Amino acid sequence: MRKVLTSVLVLLVSALALKAQNVSDLIISEVLAQPDSTGILDDYGRRSGWVELYNKSTGTVNFGGCYLTDDRSALRKSPIPKSDLRTKLGPRQTVLLYCSGNGHDGTFYAGFTLAPGKTVYLVSNDGRTIIDSLQIPAGLPVGKSVIKLAEDIRQQNFETVHEPATPSPAIVNGDQNAATKGERMKERDPHGWILTVVSVSVVFCALAILWFLFWLLFDRSAKKKAKEGTSLSKTKGKRTVTLGESEESAVAAAIALALDMEQGGDRYAAIAAAVHLYLSESVHDVEPGIVTIRRAESEWNNKSLIFRKLPR
Amino acid sequence: MEHIFESLSQFWEYTGFANCSWQNLVMIAIGLVFITLAIVKEWEPMLLVPIGFGMIVGNIPMFPGLNIGVYEDGSVLNILYQGVKQGWYPPLIFLGIGAMTDFSALISQPRLILIGAAAQMGIFGAYLLALLMGFAPNEAGAIGIIGGADGPTAIFLSSKLAPDLMGAIAVSAYSYMALVPVIQKPIMLLLTTKKERLIHMPTPRVVSKKEKIIFPIVGFLITAFIVPSGLPLLGMLFFGNLLKESGVTKRLANTASGPLIDVVTTLIGLTVGASTQADKFISVKSILIFGLGLLSFVIATTSGVLFVKLMNLFIANPAKKINPLIGNAGVSAVPDSARVSEVVGREIDPTNHLLMHAMGPNVAGVIGSAVAAGILLSFLG
């Protein structure tokens, strides 16, 4: 039963992980229907309309096997080849698909042309699910494109911009003028005081919450118990040791002394010294600093018993 | 005969002598100083020996294009350097640190956590000063993290915020960590009175196994929810600690705290050192970074000590007062700054053992600096 539950859990996690990087993270971010004389040339030296896809996720998405169409009743109109390694689109990256009217021109070419008033659809590799669409306004001037821009800081929700835009093929929309976080911070907080005050407060809050929780959960109750004189009994082999407040102090003092001696030395020697100091009841303020650990012989480590006899 | 001379002449062009510049020699000399300090004075030998030797490796003058330099794509050193550049090494080191660290001192006296937070003022003090000196905000943030006194955190953050300054920042952070006893002691003595230094703190209580297991889980959840950008460091730190404290994953904990951290420390030290190639390292910016790094350590120590004095104002019971000599330990150079507390404390009273108390703020400083790095990354990254 436990194995079944574990397997289900693993499958669930795997499914979630897969979902995080699938084709549903793609959007049609920009469409140019009618290029002007300054428009970008395709690999054949032609100027044709194009569709820009954008991967809004933070993982790589393979759009091979998906479809592009301008006809809702024919969703599999222009398939994108599955076997091309170049169909892997990196996180927050764009790719251009030319609508040359001939899908056989190559991987990045669609078998239809674009015109104002049409709608472009990106269809999933199942051939049925429409991932995203973008309508080209009927009055879109020649040489202008229609774009989508992110609405939120996470760049997950996009909205179509109604004004015609200057084409920005294969460049993330709105990225040309985007300032880095550092630049924005320099404008907003040139002397750094805001960041300092906020950051110090957050560091204090994080650690203060930790302090409060542990004080509440453990420290307070432990001290209460100690006050009530509760003693803790432990059995060590055949010998029973009762740890009360004074004994705890002895253990702590032994550890402190041992760590002190350990400075620059060996960790295990320190632990052994701490145990030795405690068990021999020799915890004092001033220690000679010499601990001799005598090896106890047994059948397991007695050399005369475990060594192979040499042939004579 | 002519061919022989031509070949010899060509060979000469490839030698270090033909390509040597005074900057290379300066960096090699600095590398040798690091190695000497590590071996003779035993200052952070685990770090200074690899960094020092890495400096020598990175500054051997060579003919460019042989695909052997640390900045040449595909070279062995370049592949090893990716761990620094992409930030893989620091979280792995944090995994090892977590598997080594005993948070008992912190759990037994939770109030000491706040000292670890106060000492992070060094980071933000250096950030303000760096901005004042004309550094860009992302560069200032990367420089400021030197004040966290945490090498892996400094490398992690600078690789994200200011990769060009990473070499100088990493070397500065590790150098000052090695110099913690020299930097902190005079500040501690200056800011405390004899009476304060004589404060004996109550013996910490014994911490149960249950508390030790719960601490990394609760600690991680709280800090990661507040600063998710610190996830790589905080996640690995607390995960490593859970491996240690759970008691059922001893082999994993032993690997993380032993062979794994040793391998990564060796590689990180060597490659950080090798990344300090003279042409990229010797600049006015590097000198300013070293100056700011020192100031950040001074500010961090001062903040820690003064914060303890402030806390003492609110503690009515004299038996519960905190010795301000443990304030410096909020700087997360584990365990060096805690040892400084112990040594300075014993100089005035040989019976006053502060080591166990100082370990509390010391490990809190590790958490604090990772949280601070996460905040800087979310604002400036």
PDB file of all heavy atoms in Angstrom, chain B residues 56-75:
ATOM      1  N   ILE B  56      48.026  31.788  -8.761  1.00  0.00           N
ATOM      2  CA  ILE B  56      49.259  31.539  -9.526  1.00  0.00           C
ATOM      3  C   ILE B  56      48.902  30.872 -10.859  1.00  0.00           C
ATOM      4  O   ILE B  56      49.389  31.274 -11.915  1.00  0.00           O
ATOM      5  CB  ILE B  56      50.231  30.659  -8.709  1.00  0.00           C
ATOM      6  CG1 ILE B  56      50.612  31.378  -7.410  1.00  0.00           C
ATOM      7  CG2 ILE B  56      51.493  30.347  -9.515  1.00  0.00           C
ATOM      8  CD1 ILE B  56      51.415  30.538  -6.445  1.00  0.00           C
ATOM      9  N   VAL B  57      48.007  29.880 -10.791  1.00  0.00           N
ATOM     10  CA  VAL B  57      47.595  29.181 -12.021  1.00  0.00           C
ATOM     11  C   VAL B  57      46.990  30.168 -13.020  1.00  0.00           C
ATOM     12  O   VAL B  57      47.333  30.168 -14.205  1.00  0.00           O
ATOM     13  CB  VAL B  57      46.566  28.066 -11.685  1.00  0.00           C
ATOM     14  CG1 VAL B  57      45.933  27.500 -12.954  1.00  0.00           C
ATOM     15  CG2 VAL B  57      47.220  26.949 -10.901  1.00  0.00           C
ATOM     16  N   GLY B  58      46.095  31.025 -12.508  1.00  0.00           N
ATOM     17  CA  GLY B  58      45.394  31.957 -13.395  1.00  0.00           C
ATOM     18  C   GLY B  58      46.278  33.050 -13.961  1.00  0.00           C
ATOM     19  O   GLY B  58      45.888  33.728 -14.911  1.00  0.00           O
ATOM     20  N   ASN B  59      47.429  33.253 -13.350  1.00  0.00           N
ATOM     21  CA  ASN B  59      48.274  34.362 -13.788  1.00  0.00           C
ATOM     22  C   ASN B  59      49.587  33.925 -14.431  1.00  0.00           C
ATOM     23  O   ASN B  59      50.496  34.736 -14.606  1.00  0.00           O
ATOM     24  CB  ASN B  59      48.544  35.309 -12.616  1.00  0.00           C
ATOM     25  CG  ASN B  59      47.323  36.158 -12.340  1.00  0.00           C
ATOM     26  OD1 ASN B  59      47.029  37.094 -13.077  1.00  0.00           O
ATOM     27  ND2 ASN B  59      46.575  35.784 -11.319  1.00  0.00           N
ATOM     28  N   ILE B  60      49.656  32.636 -14.758  1.00  0.00           N
ATOM     29  CA  ILE B  60      50.804  32.199 -15.555  1.00  0.00           C
ATOM     30  C   ILE B  60      50.619  32.822 -16.939  1.00  0.00           C
ATOM     31  O   ILE B  60      49.601  32.581 -17.595  1.00  0.00           O
ATOM     32  CB  ILE B  60      50.844  30.646 -15.661  1.00  0.00           C
ATOM     33  CG1 ILE B  60      51.075  30.017 -14.290  1.00  0.00           C
ATOM     34  CG2 ILE B  60      51.897  30.192 -16.669  1.00  0.00           C
ATOM     35  CD1 ILE B  60      52.411  30.306 -13.639  1.00  0.00           C
ATOM     36  N   PRO B  61      51.561  33.655 -17.378  1.00  0.00           N
ATOM     37  CA  PRO B  61      51.371  34.316 -18.672  1.00  0.00           C
ATOM     38  C   PRO B  61      51.364  33.275 -19.784  1.00  0.00           C
ATOM     39  O   PRO B  61      52.187  32.364 -19.790  1.00  0.00           O
ATOM     40  CB  PRO B  61      52.596  35.229 -18.799  1.00  0.00           C
ATOM     41  CG  PRO B  61      53.291  35.165 -17.497  1.00  0.00           C
ATOM     42  CD  PRO B  61      52.866  33.949 -16.780  1.00  0.00           C
ATOM     43  N   MET B  62      50.406  33.414 -20.658  1.00  0.00           N
ATOM     44  CA  MET B  62      50.320  32.395 -21.721  1.00  0.00           C
ATOM     45  C   MET B  62      49.864  33.030 -23.026  1.00  0.00           C
ATOM     46  O   MET B  62      49.275  34.111 -23.044  1.00  0.00           O
ATOM     47  CB  MET B  62      49.387  31.275 -21.315  1.00  0.00           C
ATOM     48  CG  MET B  62      47.997  31.749 -21.055  1.00  0.00           C
ATOM     49  SD  MET B  62      47.020  30.437 -20.399  1.00  0.00           S
ATOM     50  CE  MET B  62      45.575  31.336 -19.917  1.00  0.00           C
ATOM     51  N   PHE B  63      50.153  32.282 -24.066  1.00  0.00           N
ATOM     52  CA  PHE B  63      49.762  32.717 -25.403  1.00  0.00           C
ATOM     53  C   PHE B  63      48.254  32.487 -25.543  1.00  0.00           C
ATOM     54  O   PHE B  63      47.780  31.370 -25.351  1.00  0.00           O
ATOM     55  CB  PHE B  63      50.530  31.888 -26.438  1.00  0.00           C
ATOM     56  CG  PHE B  63      50.445  32.442 -27.818  1.00  0.00           C
ATOM     57  CD1 PHE B  63      51.336  33.431 -28.228  1.00  0.00           C
ATOM     58  CD2 PHE B  63      49.492  31.994 -28.707  1.00  0.00           C
ATOM     59  CE1 PHE B  63      51.268  33.945 -29.506  1.00  0.00           C
ATOM     60  CE2 PHE B  63      49.416  32.511 -29.982  1.00  0.00           C
ATOM     61  CZ  PHE B  63      50.313  33.490 -30.383  1.00  0.00           C
ATOM     62  N   PRO B  64      47.493  33.534 -25.861  1.00  0.00           N
ATOM     63  CA  PRO B  64      46.039  33.336 -25.924  1.00  0.00           C
ATOM     64  C   PRO B  64      45.633  32.423 -27.085  1.00  0.00           C
ATOM     65  O   PRO B  64      46.300  32.379 -28.112  1.00  0.00           O
ATOM     66  CB  PRO B  64      45.491  34.761 -26.122  1.00  0.00           C
ATOM     67  CG  PRO B  64      46.628  35.577 -26.593  1.00  0.00           C
ATOM     68  CD  PRO B  64      47.886  34.917 -26.153  1.00  0.00           C
ATOM     69  N   GLY B  65      44.551  31.689 -26.885  1.00  0.00           N
ATOM     70  CA  GLY B  65      44.017  30.851 -27.963  1.00  0.00           C
ATOM     71  C   GLY B  65      44.395  29.385 -27.843  1.00  0.00           C
ATOM     72  O   GLY B  65      43.994  28.575 -28.670  1.00  0.00           O
ATOM     73  N   LEU B  66      45.145  29.037 -26.783  1.00  0.00           N
ATOM     74  CA  LEU B  66      45.519  27.628 -26.611  1.00  0.00           C
ATOM     75  C   LEU B  66      44.400  26.824 -25.926  1.00  0.00           C
ATOM     76  O   LEU B  66      44.543  25.627 -25.684  1.00  0.00           O
ATOM     77  CB  LEU B  66      46.804  27.509 -25.789  1.00  0.00           C
ATOM     78  CG  LEU B  66      48.067  28.059 -26.445  1.00  0.00           C
ATOM     79  CD1 LEU B  66      49.233  28.012 -25.465  1.00  0.00           C
ATOM     80  CD2 LEU B  66      48.414  27.258 -27.691  1.00  0.00           C
ATOM     81  N   ASN B  67      43.330  27.527 -25.592  1.00  0.00           N
ATOM     82  CA  ASN B  67      42.181  26.903 -24.955  1.00  0.00           C
ATOM     83  C   ASN B  67      42.543  26.248 -23.618  1.00  0.00           C
ATOM     84  O   ASN B  67      42.154  25.110 -23.333  1.00  0.00           O
ATOM     85  CB  ASN B  67      41.555  25.865 -25.903  1.00  0.00           C
ATOM     86  CG  ASN B  67      40.053  25.821 -25.746  1.00  0.00           C
ATOM     87  OD1 ASN B  67      39.465  26.812 -25.319  1.00  0.00           O
ATOM     88  ND2 ASN B  67      39.448  24.694 -26.075  1.00  0.00           N
ATOM     89  N   ILE B  68      43.294  26.982 -22.824  1.00  0.00           N
ATOM     90  CA  ILE B  68      43.645  26.460 -21.497  1.00  0.00           C
ATOM     91  C   ILE B  68      43.283  27.437 -20.373  1.00  0.00           C
ATOM     92  O   ILE B  68      43.233  27.052 -19.211  1.00  0.00           O
ATOM     93  CB  ILE B  68      45.151  26.113 -21.403  1.00  0.00           C
ATOM     94  CG1 ILE B  68      45.997  27.292 -21.888  1.00  0.00           C
ATOM     95  CG2 ILE B  68      45.492  24.852 -22.155  1.00  0.00           C
ATOM     96  CD1 ILE B  68      47.475  27.100 -21.661  1.00  0.00           C
ATOM     97  N   GLY B  69      43.033  28.694 -20.716  1.00  0.00           N
ATOM     98  CA  GLY B  69      42.749  29.713 -19.701  1.00  0.00           C
ATOM     99  C   GLY B  69      41.363  29.565 -19.110  1.00  0.00           C
ATOM    100  O   GLY B  69      40.481  28.940 -19.710  1.00  0.00           O
ATOM    101  N   VAL B  70      41.184  30.148 -17.943  1.00  0.00           N
ATOM    102  CA  VAL B  70      39.908  30.019 -17.235  1.00  0.00           C
ATOM    103  C   VAL B  70      38.772  30.731 -17.973  1.00  0.00           C
ATOM    104  O   VAL B  70      37.606  30.348 -17.860  1.00  0.00           O
ATOM    105  CB  VAL B  70      40.057  30.518 -15.775  1.00  0.00           C
ATOM    106  CG1 VAL B  70      40.150  32.035 -15.695  1.00  0.00           C
ATOM    107  CG2 VAL B  70      38.924  30.018 -14.904  1.00  0.00           C
ATOM    108  N   TYR B  71      39.120  31.754 -18.754  1.00  0.00           N
ATOM    109  CA  TYR B  71      38.073  32.481 -19.485  1.00  0.00           C
ATOM    110  C   TYR B  71      37.917  32.003 -20.932  1.00  0.00           C
ATOM    111  O   TYR B  71      37.182  32.600 -21.701  1.00  0.00           O
ATOM    112  CB  TYR B  71      38.374  33.987 -19.470  1.00  0.00           C
ATOM    113  CG  TYR B  71      38.235  34.584 -18.089  1.00  0.00           C
ATOM    114  CD1 TYR B  71      39.346  35.036 -17.388  1.00  0.00           C
ATOM    115  CD2 TYR B  71      36.995  34.674 -17.475  1.00  0.00           C
ATOM    116  CE1 TYR B  71      39.225  35.562 -16.111  1.00  0.00           C
ATOM    117  CE2 TYR B  71      36.863  35.188 -16.198  1.00  0.00           C
ATOM    118  CZ  TYR B  71      37.988  35.641 -15.522  1.00  0.00           C
ATOM    119  OH  TYR B  71      37.847  36.149 -14.264  1.00  0.00           O
ATOM    120  N   GLU B  72      38.644  30.934 -21.301  1.00  0.00           N
ATOM    121  CA  GLU B  72      38.532  30.423 -22.668  1.00  0.00           C
ATOM    122  C   GLU B  72      37.522  29.272 -22.700  1.00  0.00           C
ATOM    123  O   GLU B  72      37.707  28.256 -22.010  1.00  0.00           O
ATOM    124  CB  GLU B  72      39.906  29.960 -23.175  1.00  0.00           C
ATOM    125  CG  GLU B  72      40.855  31.141 -23.377  1.00  0.00           C
ATOM    126  CD  GLU B  72      42.206  30.718 -23.927  1.00  0.00           C
ATOM    127  OE1 GLU B  72      42.888  29.916 -23.257  1.00  0.00           O
ATOM    128  OE2 GLU B  72      42.574  31.182 -24.993  1.00  0.00           O
ATOM    129  N   ASP B  73      36.471  29.456 -23.502  1.00  0.00           N
ATOM    130  CA  ASP B  73      35.371  28.480 -23.537  1.00  0.00           C
ATOM    131  C   ASP B  73      35.871  27.060 -23.799  1.00  0.00           C
ATOM    132  O   ASP B  73      36.651  26.830 -24.724  1.00  0.00           O
ATOM    133  CB  ASP B  73      34.372  28.851 -24.643  1.00  0.00           C
ATOM    134  CG  ASP B  73      33.530  30.045 -24.234  1.00  0.00           C
ATOM    135  OD1 ASP B  73      33.551  30.375 -23.043  1.00  0.00           O
ATOM    136  OD2 ASP B  73      32.885  30.641 -25.115  1.00  0.00           O
ATOM    137  N   GLY B  74      35.395  26.145 -22.983  1.00  0.00           N
ATOM    138  CA  GLY B  74      35.683  24.735 -23.214  1.00  0.00           C
ATOM    139  C   GLY B  74      36.968  24.238 -22.583  1.00  0.00           C
ATOM    140  O   GLY B  74      37.211  23.031 -22.575  1.00  0.00           O
ATOM    141  N   SER B  75      37.795  25.122 -22.035  1.00  0.00           N
ATOM    142  CA  SER B  75      39.027  24.643 -21.397  1.00  0.00           C
ATOM    143  C   SER B  75      38.662  23.959 -20.071  1.00  0.00           C
ATOM    144  O   SER B  75      37.571  24.176 -19.531  1.00  0.00           O
ATOM    145  CB  SER B  75      39.980  25.804 -21.136  1.00  0.00           C
ATOM    146  OG  SER B  75      39.477  26.614 -20.103  1.00  0.00           O
TER     147      SER B  75
END
